[in-house]
Amino acid sequence: MHWLVRAFLWLIGLAVAGALALAMVIAVALAMAYPNLPDVSELADYRPKLPLRIYSAEGALLGEFGEERRTLTPINDIPKVMVDAVLAIEDTRFFEHGGVDYKGMLRAALANLGKVKSQGASTITMQVARNVYLSSEKTYTRKIYEILLTFKLEHLLTKEKILEIYMNQIFLGHRAYGFAAASEVYFGKPLKDVSIAEAAMLAGLPKAPSAYNPISNPKRARIRQLYIIDRMEENGFITPEQARLAREEPLQLRNANHNVGVNADYVAEMARQLVYAQYGDDAYTRGLNVYTTLNAGEQEVAYAALRKGIMDYERRQRYRGPEKFIALPSDAQALEDVIDDTLAQHPDNGDVLAAVVLEASTKSMTVQRPDGEKIVITGDGLKPVESGLSDKAAPNIKIRPGAVIRVIETGKGKWSATQLPEVEGAFVAVDPRTGAIRALVGGFDFQKNKFNHVTQAWRQPGSSFKPFLYSAALEKGVGPATLVNDAPMFFGANVTGGQPWEPRNYDGKFEGPMPLRTALAKSRNIPSIRVLEFTTPQFGQEWVTRFGFEASRHPAYLTMALGAGSVTPMQMATAFSVFANGGYRINPWLIFKITDHKGQVLSAYTPKPLEEQPQAIDARNAFIMNSMLQTVAKSGTAARAQATLKRPDIYGKTGTTNDAVDAWFAGFQPTLTAITWIGYDTPRNLGSRETGGGLSLPIWISFMQHALKDVPVATYPVPPGVVNMGGEWFYEEYAGGTGVTALGMNPGYFNPDQPTEAPPQEERSRILDLFRN
């Protein structure tokens, strides 16, 4: 027995020596590894990559840019329910252990042997060490560094700071980093407002953001949510009653394709480009907050008004056929799966929704949306696609079971079949006193077409350009009372140097002599040509540059009188603002402030007072032009404007180009200028009955009904140098009849009752000179 004791003592000695040797090896390894650990002191002032965020003037989010969606949230601002949910599933003993949970490691080891259910061995501190500093490779060396980093973090940082870093750093799917960003992404609400059920759903994401994503994998996400609620109850974070209610609570998930609250993608992109030009790639990681001049309420109204105007036009167009045809399985579950998969490839376009036809006849149509939702369309809702329901419809047009079509809700419970529009549009509103952009919609849908028609589309302005040429004529003695002959004109090939030109009015008729005020109100083409002929195209070309137009895009020919040049809607907003503000040239601007993620102002912009802006035209010129533009909106082609808005301080001009290719309305109230344009990207006829007054004006009115709701009626004071005689306004020096009293009143050729004929030789020579110049 004595030798057994000695052998036992030898074994104990060897074990102790081995343990000491192992400890010495570990100590040496740690001593060598510890200096190589990264400096974690910077985490005391944790600064993760933060996205660029664009806001309206009131602070409504318009868009965000960057690889990571993240909102840096201090631990004191993270609700207790969210912290409890995370601790329940990730690290229940977080506030008890020193960074490494040995009990958890033992549980994990036993789980590997299949003896108990694992709760995980990685603590929150270990996850912070791994996520912030280390790679995800599974090696013993990396694990050693992870443990060492964990001890270092626990030594240098408080538990609260470590938890704060974790709650802001962890990746949770859909580019969301941190629970504040995830709450917005998945539920569309601030983190402070999440319920127990929502917090449990979010807490399930760190383990596998894709596998437990409630949007793409709702069933698996639901299973994990219920498990976390159980864990919260087991650990005393919630009561059994709270757990029961949380299990029963239906979650309102945000649609995967849902945009931020305000539909302002074109504005957000404009702001992004401006900020990137200043900050470069740092713009996407510094957490910059960009505040624009946009009014969120007006932006939403502009977005809805433009889309409605385009869809109203689309309902008058021929049906082009379904977007796709699919085979419908007979099995109910297989049918639902096929429809869901198909519609995922045909995403909704705002309120224009994709659906698959189940049944179709000339009297009724049943369609299915994702998740088995069925919609029945009857009556007027079938009119936009009635040609596709006809028995004589071509195979590619025919609406039949399996056809992928579009539907739109037209009222409570009422639906209409429709199609995605091919036509495009633009809307922009600016404050004419400052140039601040209040609303901007660059097209029907940014995801469908990122081309910004407000700033990038060069289109013919048509009759909406006439006011600028009339403004030039005022400086030559022409006035609102000047009689202009609306009678036939003819320019032969020997005059134009090309094709003969016989300009016409929109209605093809001639009305004879009329005051210039009436000619503008009725948008007559012939009087405009006569006015430009008198003032000369060269003078008109130079004059319009005062409003911000480019001379090179408006050749000095008589066709300029019909708006044959090129403009953008933003240029038109700038130009009409000159009239609106009494003669000053303002520059539209978008960003008034940029701050860092802590709210410190990095840059700010305040426009100069209006009186310090360049004066484009005299106040008296603007006053008389406004008087004429007021008549357009009262009794002319835009009479619907004042009639609908029921206020006199409305001014504007319709515009329809040759062959109805572009439809405009440009108008203003003294505090707000707004421009609407409708047309095809590849210019083509909009329809023989389509005009600026019919297409664009209703959009403008819808916007102004909201924007001017609480704005008092404004009037323009009569400036020096303007007098009123017989109810009409004159420049003071022309009040005694010394101005131009009539244009185009030569007998014979200009007589509207005589048939059109070539002009006499002297007239032909004079016109030829105009074309050559």
Side-chain angles (χ1 to χ4, degrees), residues 258-333:
H258 186 74
N259 290 325
V260 290
V262 182
N263 290 285
D265 291 321
Y266 290 98
V267 175
E269 174 60 17
M270 288 173 63
R272 182 199 69 79
Q273 293 179 16
L274 292 169
V275 175
Y276 182 80
Q278 182 175 354
Y279 293 93
D281 291 336
D282 287 347
Y284 306 131
T285 59
R286 290 182 56 178
L288 298 178
N289 298 308
V290 180
Y291 294 89
T292 68
T293 57
L294 214 69
N295 179 288
E298 292 177 5
Q299 175 66 22
E300 279 298 283
V301 171
Y303 173 83
L306 182 64
R307 284 180 66 93
K308 182 180 184 300
I310 289 176
M311 291 309 298
D312 286 346
Y313 169 80
E314 189 61 42
R315 274 190 280 274
R316 299 193 292 272
Q317 307 312 302
R318 66 176 179 82
Y319 184 57
R320 295 183 294 275
E323 297 176 21
K324 187 178 182 179
F325 296 96
I326 62 172
L328 300 181
S330 56
D331 178 74
Q333 185 58 52

Side-chain angles (χ1 to χ4, degrees), residues 68 152 162 192 270 283 285 353 372 404 467 492 494 499 529 555 597 620 667 688 720:
E68 303 176 0
K152 194 170 185 179
I162 293 172
K192 65 182 179 65
M270 288 173 63
T285 59
L353 311 180
V404 179
N494 60 328
Q499 295 295 320
I529 296 172
H597 71 282
R620 63 179 189 168
S688 59

Side-chain angles (χ1 to χ4, degrees), residues 180-199:
S183 179
E184 292 285 354
V185 168
Y186 294 109
F187 299 116
K189 62 166 60 176
L191 184 61
K192 65 182 179 65
D193 295 333
V194 296
S195 64
I196 294 173
E198 291 167 337

